[in-house]
Amino acid sequence: QNYTCGIRLKGYCEECGVEHVVRKPCGREWCPECGRPFSLYHRQTYLRVLGYALEMFKDAGAVGYLIITCPEEMREEWKDKRVLSKVVEYVRRMLAREGFEWGVYRWHFAGDKGRRWYPHLNILIPGGFLEPEKLERLKTLIYRRYGIKVVYYRYIKNVRKLRHVARYIARPTWLLQDEVEPENFKNFRKMGIWGKKYFRSASIESPRELEDFVARLHELVAKGYLRAGVEAMAFAVLHGHCAFCCRKLRWKRVKSWWMNNVHNNLYKLGWGVWLVVPKEGVGTGPPPPSEPEDEEFWYF
């Protein structure tokens, strides 16, 4: 693929002498590349959503999925990013008061039918079945505040379905509508969490000790959340660590796609991550190149 957006970063490991290259997409959903389904931006967002969801699943044994849909009569008002930010802030505080101390949210801006502005807020919270009285109270609080009657709730009890929901929530939706211009939503936060202290993955990019990161990585592999080998290596690089020794990388920006000239030493790990390994190799040598169709983690 000829990537046209974002930047490329080169990370150098002083311990192993290995260069790592990461493509960081621009992340703007109105971008022709990032805005399409199954783009690199979609995949990397999916990894983040799934990481948070799996932590809640481990803690509660199930994950609740809440959708709050903008009513028809309020769609013009909800074309303002400040209004959507206030909605998120209220819902986060309300859920925390009601006993859901941590969770993750992400906005969708349109649906699959028509080309209309159709904002709805996707929320994942730890827990499963809600008593009818509890669910009715949540709906009542949301209705009193915003007049919203359409509030959908379900819960997920197995990892396979959780992967599917995470992939759906992570999908970009801006290009499915024609009513709102991108200029009105620059710097808008489409996704976030609350209760950060409960999320181990929220601080994994800057662990206090190398051993903390290595232990976390081994845990993800042992529990089957990451496959050993190239997938675990790609995960390490995306979090700023060497694919081999897990030490912190030194980064600088790559101005051109110069790696075409050294393709014999270029190895794809997936998720927008490559290794550039000297011909003499490092340790026992680099892993074999992975093919796009081998990314079973994404399609599972």
Side-chain angles (χ1 to χ4, degrees), residues 163 167 227 231 292-300:
R163 291 177 188 271
R167 186 163 58 240
R227 291 198 306 262
E231 190 169 86
E293 56 267 23
D294 291 335
E295 295 179 359
E296 301 165 3
F297 185 74
W298 165 254
Y299 293 106
F300 179 74

Side-chain angles (χ1 to χ4, degrees), residues 8 21 253-261:
R8 299 167 184 87
V21 177
R253 185 167 178 172
V254 179
K255 295 184 178 180
S256 62
W257 199 231
W258 54 269
M259 293 190 300
N260 289 331
N261 298 324

Side-chain angles (χ1 to χ4, degrees), residues 91-128:
V91 172
R92 287 171 51 184
R93 288 188 284 105
M94 181 270 291
L95 289 174
R97 289 197 307 268
E98 295 299 314
F100 301 101
E101 298 178 318
W102 52 318
V104 57
Y105 71 87
R106 179 170 165 78
W107 281 102
H108 283 175
F109 301 107
D112 295 315
K113 297 181 180 179
R115 304 288 303 176
R116 299 195 59 195
W117 179 254
Y118 180 54
H120 45 288
L121 184 61
N122 300 273
I123 303 170
L124 296 178
I125 51 179

Side-chain angles (χ1 to χ4, degrees), residues 106-298:
R106 179 170 165 78
W107 281 102
H108 283 175
F109 301 107
D112 295 315
K113 297 181 180 179
R115 304 288 303 176
R116 299 195 59 195
W117 179 254
Y118 180 54
H120 45 288
L121 184 61
N122 300 273
I123 303 170
L124 296 178
I125 51 179
F129 175 76
L130 287 182
E131 295 292 336
E133 297 79 8
K134 181 72 169 180
L135 181 57
E136 191 59 34
R137 173 171 171 78
L138 296 181
K139 291 182 177 181
T140 300
L141 290 172
I142 296 171
Y143 176 74
R144 287 177 179 175
R145 182 78 176 199
Y146 292 107
I148 298 174
K149 296 181 179 179
V150 182
V151 177
Y152 169 85
Y153 179 81
R154 59 178 284 204
Y155 61 95
I156 302 102
K157 297 189 295 184
N158 65 71
V159 174
R160 175 181 283 274
K161 290 184 179 180
L162 191 60
R163 291 177 188 271
H164 173 76
V165 170
R167 186 163 58 240
Y168 174 80
I169 291 176
R171 70 175 188 147
T173 57
W174 186 276
L175 296 181
L176 298 177
Q177 61 84 34
D178 300 320
E179 296 184 4
V180 179
E181 296 298 325
E183 288 74 15
N184 299 332
F185 272 77
K186 287 184 176 179
N187 300 319
F188 175 68
R189 188 167 187 175
K190 303 180 288 293
M191 173 183 166
I193 62 174
W194 73 92
K196 185 175 180 179
K197 65 180 181 179
Y198 299 100
F199 287 108
R200 291 184 61 190
S201 58
S203 58
I204 195 171
E205 296 185 12
S206 55
R208 287 175 295 179
E209 300 291 341
L210 174 63
E211 291 74 13
D212 293 343
F213 181 82
V214 174
R216 174 62 172 156
L217 186 60
H218 288 170
E219 178 185 354
L220 292 173
V221 172
K223 293 184 177 297
Y225 299 158
L226 289 175
R227 291 198 306 262
V230 294
E231 190 169 86
M233 297 170 78
F235 181 89
V237 177
L238 285 173
H239 289 84
H241 294 259
C242 174
F244 291 93
C245 69
C246 287
R247 296 187 181 277
K248 295 290 286 184
L249 298 172
R250 290 194 298 108
W251 295 94
K252 70 176 182 179
R253 185 167 178 172
V254 179
K255 295 184 178 180
S256 62
W257 199 231
W258 54 269
M259 293 190 300
N260 289 331
N261 298 324
V262 291
H263 59 86
N264 289 331
N265 292 332
L266 180 62
Y267 295 87
K268 179 182 178 183
L269 298 181
W271 306 98
V273 180
W274 292 264
L275 295 180
V276 182
V277 184
K279 290 182 179 180
E280 61 269 24
V282 177
T284 58
S290 63
E291 298 298 331
E293 56 267 23
D294 291 335
E295 295 179 359
E296 301 165 3
F297 185 74
W298 165 254

